[in-house]
Amino acid sequence: MEYLIVWLIGVAVFAGIEAVTYQMVSVWFAIGSIGAFLTAYAGLGLNQQLAVFIILSIGTLLLLRPLSMKLLKRHGKTKTNVDALAGREVLITQRVDNRASEGEGRINGLSWTVRSADSDVIIEKGETAIIERVEGVKLIVKKKEK
């Protein structure tokens, strides 16, 4: 019974860490602390409390973390406006030449630095290109076939 407060503090600390980090790091130890608290409340000794804490913490980590990470990944990836540019057309406003480190284009009223996905392909001003991806503040494009 003397360790009840220790396990309650453990629950609070681990739950607090989890609330701040959002990384599914310490929730497992909070669950283990709850089990150890219940073991202490039942009057079992420190060795049994520690065993329950370790078994529950490791057990829930191994059993539930893969499932929770899968669920978080499904809901966690939101496309941003920049991600939505892939596949769209961009009007080339300055000749795109990777060797000369030049190229610019406009999309949605904004000017972007543009580089060709094919390093030896030059895209002339006034042509249209297809955005493959965004790297930092550069659009990586392919020349649009006519």
Side-chain angles (χ1 to χ4, degrees):
M1 292 289 248
E2 60 198 51
Y3 294 103
L4 285 174
I5 215 68
V6 172
W7 294 116
L8 280 178
I9 291 170
V11 171
V13 167
F14 291 127
I17 291 170
E18 190 62 42
V20 173
T21 61
Y22 305 107
Q23 297 292 319
M24 300 296 286
V25 172
S26 62
V27 68
W28 324 113
F29 303 113
I31 293 169
S33 294
I34 292 170
F37 170 81
L38 294 173
T39 306
Y41 186 76
L44 297 173
L46 181 61
N47 288 340
Q48 288 86 1
Q49 294 169 35
L50 288 172
V52 167
F53 172 76
I54 291 169
I55 290 168
L56 270 179
S57 296
I58 293 173
T60 54
L61 174 68
L62 294 175
L63 293 174
L64 298 178
R65 189 167 197 280
L67 175 65
S68 64
M69 295 311 287
K70 193 180 296 183
L71 291 172
L72 286 175
K73 281 184 186 175
R74 188 178 326 161
H75 299 293
K77 178 79 169 145
T78 304
K79 267 194 160 187
T80 64
N81 291 340
V82 172
D83 294 328
L85 292 176
R88 297 199 43 210
E89 293 183 1
V90 58
L91 174 65
I92 304 303
T93 56
Q94 178 189 6
R95 182 177 193 240
V96 177
D97 183 351
N98 289 3
R99 291 188 181 142
S101 294
E102 58 185 31
E104 190 176 285
R106 281 185 81 73
I107 185 166
N108 297 337
L110 298 173
S111 292
W112 287 78
T113 300
V114 177
R115 294 294 179 262
S116 176
D118 302 315
S119 60
D120 57 340
V121 172
I122 294 175
I123 306 171
E124 297 297 333
K125 178 179 177 178
E127 291 186 24
T128 305
I130 304 296
I131 301 169
E132 276 199 351
R133 65 186 181 280
V134 179
E135 289 183 359
V137 294
K138 294 179 186 152
L139 299 178
I140 308 302
V141 302
K142 282 217 174 245
K143 189 172 184 174
K144 184 178 177 184
E145 301 300 322
K146 295 180 182 180

